[in-house]
Amino acid sequence: MTDHLIDARAPRDLHAFIASLPKAELHVHHVGSASPRIVSELAARHPDSQVPTDPEALVDFFTFTDFAHFIQVYLSVVDLIRTPEDVRLLTYEVARDLARQQVRYAELTITPFSSTRRGIDEGAFMDAIEDARKAAEADFGTLLRWCFDIPGEAGLESAEETVRMATDDRLRPEGLVSFGLGGPEIGVPRPQFKPYFDRAIAAGLHSVPHAGETTGPQTVWDALTHLRAERIGHGTSSAQDEKLLAHLAEHRIALEVCPTSNIATRAVRTLDEHPIKEFVKAGVLVTINSDDPPMFGTDLDNEYAVAARLLDLDERGVAELAKNAVEASFLDAAGKTRVKDEIETYTTAWLAP
Ligand SMILES: Nc1ncnc2c1ncn2[C@@H]1O[C@H](CCC(=O)c2cccc(C(=O)O)c2)[C@@H](O)[C@H]1O
Ligand SMILES: [Zn+2]
C-alpha cells in the first residue's frame, strides 16, 4: 500500500491496526483488481489496446465521469485478457495483493462470459482460475472462492451462458460458491434474470446480485424478491427506504458496502454523504469491501480506514466490521470460527496494555 491511499483523517495507530488485521473480502472484481503493474504489463503485451502502458498515465485513465464511463474503461481492461495464461497471472497476482493486506478469505467476482465471448476457451479459463486459486492458497495462505456474475447489460444471452458455465459439471470450478449480476442497472431490470438465478440456486449457489448501486431501492426489493438475494452488492439506495432497511436488518441480508467505489463512479457525491451510518443505525449487517480497488485508487485497508472515520470507530469497532464480513461470507462454519478467532486474538493482543 502506498501513502496516498491512506485516509489521512484516520489516526495513524488505527491504520497500523487495520493493516495487520486479518480480514475477509466479499465484493471485489477479478479484472477490476488488476494492479497498475499488471495492467501495464498486459497493455504492453497487447499494444493495439487503448489502455496506457505507463502506470502514471493510468491514474488519469482511471478517472471516471460517470458509471457508464467506468464500464467503458473496465471493458478496455477486459480486452487485455486474451489467453488462459493472462487469466492465471491476473488471478494469482490479485491473490498476492489480497494476502499482503492480511485477507484470509476472499470471494472474487468473475465474469466468465466477458472472457469466453472474446475467444478464451471455457475449459482453459476454468483451469486457469482454479490453478491460480490452489497456488495462492499454498503460497499465500489466502482462500479464494468465486462468484460468477452476469454482465446484465450484455443481455439474456450472457445470463444463459453464465448459468450454463456455473452449473455444467464438466466446467463448474470447485471454488465456485455464488452467482451474481453486475454492470449498469439503468435499463437492466432485475426480474428478467429470475430463471437464471433459480437455476444457479437449484445447483447450490448463493445469490449475490449488485442492486441499488446506481438505481433506487425498488431494485434492491427486486433483487430480494425475484433473485432471492442473500447479500446485496452495494445496496446504497436502500437508505431511501426505511421498510427496506428494516427488512435487511431483520433477515440478516448483509450489504457489501464499497465507499470509495461509490464516489469514483459518482453513485454518491461525497464520502460524507455516504449512507453507511444509516445502515448501521438501522441494524443492517454492514461489510466493508473494495470493489475494483486499483481503478478507484483504493484498497481494502483504505476502505476500512474510511469506514472507521465515517462511523467513528476505534479498533474494537473496526474488528467487529471485519467479523461481519466473515459472518456474511460463504465460508463453512469451521472456517468462520477460525478467522473470527484470529481477528479476536489479534485485537485483544493489540489492545493489551
Ligand atoms: N462497481 C461495479 N458495479 C457493477 N458492476 C461492476 C462494478 N465493478 C465491476 N463491475 C463489473 O462490470 C461488469 C460489467 C460488464 C458489462 O456491463 C458489459 C456490458 C456489455 C458487454 C459486456 C461484454 O463483456 O462484452 C460487458 C460486470 O459484470 C461486473 O463484474
Ligand atoms: Zn461490484
Side-chain angles (χ1 to χ4, degrees), residues 108-260:
L108 204 58
T109 296
I110 298 189
T111 315
F113 175 77
S114 288
S115 289
T116 57
R117 87 177 303 190
R118 284 167 174 76
I120 300 185
D121 175 77
E122 296 170 355
F125 182 90
M126 303 305 164
D127 289 346
I129 59 173
E130 282 296 295
D131 189 50
R133 177 176 72 79
K134 289 173 189 158
E137 189 172 332
D139 298 350
F140 313 129
T142 297
L143 292 185
L144 291 183
R145 295 292 179 267
W146 318 126
C147 169
F148 278 4
D149 81 329
I150 302 169
E153 202 184 34
L156 293 184
E157 182 208 349
S158 74
E160 176 58 39
E161 286 295 287
T162 307
V163 76
R164 182 181 60 74
M165 290 187 264
T167 58
D168 180 337
D169 286 342
R170 287 160 303 179
L171 284 173
R172 176 183 173 153
E174 219 181 292
L176 185 66
V177 292
S178 61
F179 198 69
L181 170 58
E185 292 175 32
I186 297 167
V188 188
R190 311 285 99 170
Q192 64 184 316
F193 299 104
K194 175 176 164 46
Y196 308 97
F197 274 76
D198 283 345
R199 283 160 62 191
I201 294 166
L205 297 175
H206 296 281
S207 169
V208 287
H210 286 65
E213 178 187 18
T214 49
T215 60
Q218 184 56 45
T219 308
V220 179
W221 282 118
D222 287 346
L224 294 169
T225 310
H226 298 282
L227 311 183
R228 292 185 272 161
E230 292 166 70
R231 295 194 315 245
I232 299 283
H234 299 279
T236 320
S237 64
S238 307
Q240 298 162 24
D241 182 339
E242 263 177 48
K243 273 203 187 123
L244 176 55
L245 287 179
H247 181 94
L248 296 171
E250 183 188 346
H251 296 276
R252 304 281 287 168
I253 311 277
L255 294 184
E256 299 160 3
V257 176
C258 314
T260 300

Side-chain angles (χ1 to χ4, degrees), residues 285-317:
L285 189 64
V286 165
T287 67
I288 300 301
N289 304 278
S290 63
D291 212 9
D292 303 287
M295 293 188 180
F296 300 147
T298 191
D299 63 14
L300 187 60
D301 288 347
N302 189 58
E303 295 308 284
Y304 271 88
V306 167
R309 179 169 70 75
L310 296 179
L311 298 172
D312 197 18
L313 300 177
D314 58 8
E315 285 84 349
R316 262 276 146 228

